Amino acid sequence: MEKDGSQDIAAEIFAQEDPIFRNKSLVEVEHVPSPERIVGRDDEIRALSTELRSAVNGDSPENVILYGETGTGKSLVAKHVAKAAQSNAGDVRIGTVYVDCSTDDTETQAISTIGRTLNDEATTDTRVPETGLAKAAYYTRLYEILDQLYDVVIIILDEADMHPDDQILMSLSRAVETGKTDCRIGLIAISNKVRWAEDLNDRVKSSLQPRELNFHSYDANQLRAILSHRRDAFREGVLSDDVIPLCAAYAAQDHGDARQAIDVLRNAGMLAQRDGSDVVTRDHVEDAKMEAEKDRFRDLIGGLTVQKKLVLSAVTALHKGTDEDEFSMAQIIETYTKLCEATGTSTRSDRRVRDFVRRLAFLDILELRKQNLGRAGGITIYARLQPDHDLDIVHQTAMDDEQFVVSETDAENASLDSF
């Protein structure tokens, strides 16, 4: 019987020492660094700690809204300060919980996650199933858990603007006032949208009475320091001298996004690993930047329906097939209809297409402009791709859906009456 060498190959690979990474977790996005590795956010840490200081005495912390561009350290600082409050609370029982509202994007899902995270079923004898209860039942169980286990809880709602309404903010901020619980609740709501707080319901603003902290984008020097503090993720001598400055420069040019800079650095290391190289070079960084842009946008539109992707594809096809900078709703609907025909996808009404365009604008994928043409013309809406997005990457990602197949040439020609 011939020996199967497949297991030997796998065993050989697994037994090898990683030639690039020494501690890869330091460049994982979800990694929360130790305090000495947090760079350029001393003022924000000080400001947020001041707002939450009363929690360590068992009193109600202030509710806070953190806003700023993606990758400016909002989530990092919120987690760090909440953990520090918990560590310095003495006899005060402080609980902390982090909720990603882009995943738990309904009030019920978020309350379920909060309850399950804070619960100690052996102590409370209260079970919080992931699904299956009415919203009111989840709230009831959450408040039972809070009263048994905690004096204060700090709840971080990341990407809070992804929820369709503000009801969770209203319910949690008024829980003590309405007698639902004796536990003090402090909310940290995080949003990438600078004007999100202004759009909150007046009743929510009155109940929440939030303090607002703005996080500015990192500059190139700060990004370089952030990456330098994570250099020990790699083995000694692996990074060529220009790798960290180049990663920082790319991120600074785009959005000042630390998450992007770390992603590019990690992916450059992984590309070097796959190439069998023992050094991470400038070429690896440049390739990694392109891959990171694709991944970022793939994450952004990954949850979109086929119909929304077709509408987005119509806009990108118009950009690629014409010299115009923005497009009327009539142009978008016409191109969308042709793409539907090309892909064998049923069309939606003009009204639904306009709704899809508005949704894409809400997600900061498209940018809208209204023009009042007077009594005869009414109001016309024009749309274009957000200038910060790379057209080729957006177009390629939008068209990459197994539920419809159309060539890139046909997609571009959809704007040129070729069908």
Side-chain angles (χ1 to χ4, degrees):
M1 181 176 177
E2 186 176 341
K3 184 178 180 182
D4 182 1
S6 59
Q7 289 189 349
D8 292 339
I9 294 171
E12 179 184 349
I13 292 173
F14 291 138
Q16 292 174 355
E17 183 177 73
D18 190 325
I20 300 295
F21 294 102
R22 178 167 57 188
N23 185 1
K24 191 178 177 183
S25 67
L26 293 176
V27 286
E28 297 292 347
V29 171
E30 64 272 12
H31 175 72
V32 179
S34 54
E36 65 272 10
R37 293 180 186 269
I38 299 177
V39 174
R41 287 296 175 255
D42 290 355
D43 290 343
E44 290 81 359
I45 291 172
R46 187 175 294 107
L48 183 57
S49 299
T50 299
E51 302 298 346
L52 302 184
R53 181 166 49 190
S54 57
V56 301
N57 299 321
D59 298 322
S60 297
E62 301 296 332
N63 298 312
V64 185
I65 293 177
L66 310 182
Y67 59 87
E69 295 282 352
T70 300
T72 51
K74 302 182 298 297
S75 304
L76 171 63
V77 168
K79 291 177 182 179
H80 168 69
V81 173
K83 183 177 180 181
Q86 193 174 39
S87 301
N88 289 276
D91 294 333
V92 177
R93 300 171 302 167
I94 294 182
T96 66
V97 57
Y98 171 86
V99 181
D100 182 351
C101 296
S102 66
T103 302
D104 294 319
D105 59 359
T106 68
E107 183 182 2
T108 302
Q109 289 175 325
I111 293 301
S112 169
T113 295
I114 293 169
R116 285 183 290 109
T117 304
L118 293 173
N119 193 25
D120 179 357
E121 191 173 340
T123 302
T124 63
D125 200 29
T126 297
R127 180 173 172 270
V128 183
E130 187 170 352
T131 60
L133 296 182
K135 179 171 63 177
Y138 277 114
Y139 270 110
T140 297
R141 296 193 186 192
L142 171 62
Y143 295 141
E144 290 173 355
I145 291 165
L146 297 186
D147 283 337
Q148 289 189 61
L149 299 180
Y150 302 102
D151 301 308
V152 180
V153 293
I154 298 171
I155 300 173
I156 302 169
L157 299 173
D158 203 352
E159 298 198 61
D161 53 90
M162 297 298 288
H163 274 204
D165 57 46
D166 313 326
Q167 189 56 48
I168 190 170
L169 300 176
M170 171 70 80
S171 298
L172 292 175
S173 63
R174 298 187 68 234
V176 174
E177 178 187 343
T178 56
K180 299 293 194 304
T181 179
D182 292 326
C183 177
R184 309 298 177 183
I185 299 175
L187 300 177
I188 303 175
I190 301 174
S191 175
N192 298 332
K193 300 179 181 298
V194 174
R195 298 188 180 280
W196 175 68
E198 298 176 10
D199 297 331
L200 291 175
N201 181 287
D202 287 340
R203 292 174 62 243
V204 173
K205 290 180 184 177
S206 176
S207 176
L208 200 62
Q209 295 186 354
R211 305 292 194 269
E212 296 181 22
L213 298 179
N214 181 23
F215 282 61
H216 297 288
S217 298
Y218 292 105
D219 61 31
N221 290 331
Q222 290 172 324
L223 289 169
R224 188 179 300 188
I226 288 169
L227 297 182
S228 295
H229 277 71
R230 301 184 187 225
R231 179 186 285 272
D232 50 344
F234 298 86
R235 296 196 177 279
E236 188 73 28
V238 161
L239 298 180
S240 62
D241 291 342
D242 55 355
V243 164
I244 284 180
L246 187 58
C247 290
Y250 278 147
Q253 288 171 5
D254 287 348
H255 312 288
D257 183 341
R259 188 178 289 117
Q260 179 189 8
I262 294 167
D263 273 347
V264 171
L265 180 61
R266 182 187 67 254
N267 289 335
M270 293 174 66
L271 287 174
Q273 197 177 54
R274 291 168 192 160
D275 288 348
S277 174
D278 56 1
V279 177
V280 183
T281 67
R282 182 187 191 92
D283 288 343
H284 292 127
V285 173
E286 291 173 348
D287 290 343
K289 180 182 183 295
M290 180 61 72
E291 288 302 314
E293 280 295 308
K294 291 180 181 178
D295 289 345
R296 184 177 70 86
F297 205 80
R298 195 174 290 118
D299 289 343
L300 180 61
I301 72 169
L304 295 181
T305 63
V306 169
Q307 289 290 332
K308 292 189 182 76
K309 287 182 179 179
L310 281 167
V311 171
L312 177 58
S313 298
V315 176
T316 58
L318 285 164
H319 274 295
K320 291 174 77 67
T322 73
D323 294 328
E324 297 178 48
D325 184 55
E326 60 181 8
F327 311 99
S328 68
M329 203 62 72
Q331 288 175 286
I332 294 170
I333 291 171
E334 181 183 5
T335 306
Y336 156 81
T337 302
K338 291 176 180 178
L339 283 174
C340 286
E341 292 171 357
T343 60
T345 308
S346 60
T347 59
R348 296 294 185 265
S349 68
D350 291 358
R351 180 179 178 181
R352 289 295 291 147
V353 174
R354 284 192 287 269
D355 289 341
F356 294 153
V357 169
R358 292 188 184 95
R359 180 61 182 172
L360 292 169
F362 174 79
L363 295 173
D364 283 335
I365 299 172
L366 299 182
E367 183 174 273
L368 302 186
R369 180 178 70 85
K370 292 182 181 180
Q371 183 175 356
N372 192 335
L373 301 178
R375 290 183 180 179
I379 296 177
T380 299
I381 296 176
Y382 293 88
R384 67 171 182 168
L385 187 68
Q386 281 278 7
D388 288 341
H389 297 318
D390 185 292
L391 174 59
D392 290 332
I393 290 175
V394 175
H395 185 70
Q396 180 182 343
T397 308
M399 295 302 300
D400 184 18
D401 193 299
E402 61 184 15
Q403 296 188 57
F404 62 86
V405 179
V406 61
S407 73
E408 183 169 334
T409 301
D410 284 346
E412 292 177 26
N413 287 341
S415 65
L416 301 176
D417 292 325
S418 64
F419 291 128

